Structures are given as C-alpha cells and as structure tokens.
Amino acid sequence: MANTSDPVIPPSADWNAQAAEFDEEPDHGLRSPEVRAAWADRLRSWLPPRPSDVLDLGCGTGSLSLLAAEQGHRVTGVDSAPAMLERARAKLAGRDAQFLLGDAAAPPVGERAYDVVLVRHVLWTLPEPARVLAHWRQLLRPGGRLVLVEGVWGTLDPVGIPADLLTSLLAPLAAEVRLERLSEDPLLWGRAVDDERYAVVALV
C-alpha cells in the first residue's frame, strides 16, 4: 500500500502554481539536514568522481542541482515552469550553473554534450518514454551516464514507471544498467514509505 501522506502530483499539474509549496516536501526542498545528507551521499555514488557536466532535466527548484554543484560539477538545469526556475536560480546564485526554460523531453541545449543526464520523477510524466530515453542518450558524451530516479505511487490508480520496465527500456541503450532500490531508506523521503522508489544508473 502506498504512503497516502505523500501526495501524487498528476503529470498535467500546473508546475508554476506548485512552485511556491514544492520545497515543503522533505525530498523536494531537502531542508532537513538528515534528508539533505542522504541525497548528497546517494548523488555522490551516482555521479562521476571527477568534476563533470551534469544536465538536470525537470530540475524543479534546483535541489539536486545544488547538491551536484556543491560536489564540484557544472550544472545545466532545464524546466518548463518559469516559477520553478526562478527558485532554482536563487538557490544556485554564484555557482557554476545555468538554467534554461524548456521541455525535459527535448531540452534546448543545441549540440552540447554532457557527462550525466540526471532526471528525478520526470520520465513517468512523459509520453513515449523509449523515444525520450533514446534522445537523452544522444545528449551524452562517450562514457557518460543516465541517472534516473523514478517509482510507482498510489494504490487505486497507481502512476509511475516500474523498475523492470525502465531497465528493459534502457538495456539496448547502455553497456551497463545498475538498479538501486530506495524505498527502504526513510532518510531520503523524510518518512517511511512502502511504494516503489528506485534509481537506475545506465552507463553508455
């Protein structure tokens, strides 16, 4: 049974309207030192050890972008909601980061290539995930990686993308696909959860 205290935001949500309260969820704003440290540790294990170019798609208010920048990475964030980007730019003021208004499925980055495409809780909202993943793969340099945090939420009408489906979609695109279950770590969410939450790191 899914944790009913963790609201499921539909794909059609008005993200500009959500921006003012978005960071109130523990895993969104990372305001708790314990939650923040838990995400920082995970991110450190998913991203390359050297300073890298990270493309954070559907970056929201920039919480993961900030952690990546603090770990020495150069971050480009993309989001379709100007209100989200406004908060992200404020969080990362003075950091090696830039934020672009655009669609996560087709980010407006031109011919730029990245070492990491980082996406949290976005792919499940997009139509044609196989096509989107193939496009994200094309944004990577040789030896790059996709870091995808996803899950399945809800009981009566569950939404999301199951881990076995995502790993099967990634198999033809990557040399190695690593699955990491996240539901069992309450520090990441600020509470115990019992739905499916996971991360996939796909090395190309």
Side-chain angles (χ1 to χ4, degrees), residues 4-19:
T4 55
S5 67
D6 192 17
V8 175
I9 302 174
S12 59
D14 181 347
W15 293 108
N16 282 303
Q18 295 283 339

Side-chain angles (χ1 to χ4, degrees), residues 78-94:
V78 174
D79 204 277
S80 61
M84 291 284 193
L85 291 177
E86 180 182 351
R87 286 161 174 78
R89 291 187 180 107
K91 279 184 187 179
L92 280 89

Side-chain angles (χ1 to χ4, degrees), residues 5-165:
S5 67
D6 192 17
V8 175
I9 302 174
S12 59
D14 181 347
W15 293 108
N16 282 303
Q18 295 283 339
E21 298 179 353
F22 188 78
D23 280 353
E24 292 180 10
E25 280 295 308
D27 61 306
H28 291 174
L30 310 183
R31 291 169 172 166
S32 161
E34 293 80 11
V35 174
R36 194 175 196 279
W39 279 101
D41 288 344
R42 296 283 181 155
L43 202 63
R44 190 173 291 108
S45 73
W46 299 333
L47 300 183
R50 67 187 188 285
S52 302
D53 292 311
V54 176
L55 180 61
D56 184 2
L57 297 178
C59 64
T61 60
S63 294
L64 288 191
S65 291
L66 179 57
L67 292 183
E70 288 176 344
Q71 293 176 14
H73 301 290
R74 300 170 294 274
V75 179
T76 299
V78 174
D79 204 277
S80 61
M84 291 284 193
L85 291 177
E86 180 182 351
R87 286 161 174 78
R89 291 187 180 107
K91 279 184 187 179
L92 280 89
R95 303 275 181 182
D96 192 355
Q98 64 171 325
F99 292 93
L100 306 174
L101 181 65
D103 182 0
V109 296
E111 299 300 314
R112 287 193 60 185
Y114 296 85
D115 302 300
V116 180
V117 171
L118 170 66
V119 190
R120 180 172 68 164
H121 299 168
V122 173
L123 182 64
W124 74 273
T125 70
L126 303 176
E128 300 183 78
R131 179 188 59 79
V132 171
L133 288 170
H135 181 62
W136 289 349
R137 165 66 180 83
Q138 294 173 355
L139 300 175
L140 292 171
R141 296 182 178 124
R145 64 185 68 186
L146 295 169
V147 178
L148 310 174
V149 181
E150 286 294 338
V152 177
W153 304 270
T155 51
L156 297 178
D157 295 300
V159 297
I161 181 166
D164 56 353
L165 174 58

Side-chain angles (χ1 to χ4, degrees), residues 130 133 161-174 177 200:
L133 288 170
I161 181 166
D164 56 353
L165 174 58
L166 181 51
T167 54
S168 69
L169 292 175
L170 287 168
L173 302 175
V177 178
V200 173

Side-chain angles (χ1 to χ4, degrees), residues 177-197:
V177 178
R178 185 172 77 241
L179 173 65
E180 192 171 324
R181 300 287 180 180
L182 303 178
S183 301
E184 296 80 8
D185 187 351
L187 284 179
L188 291 170
W189 316 108
R191 63 176 77 89
V193 299
D194 49 15
D195 43 22
E196 182 182 15
R197 306 186 188 200

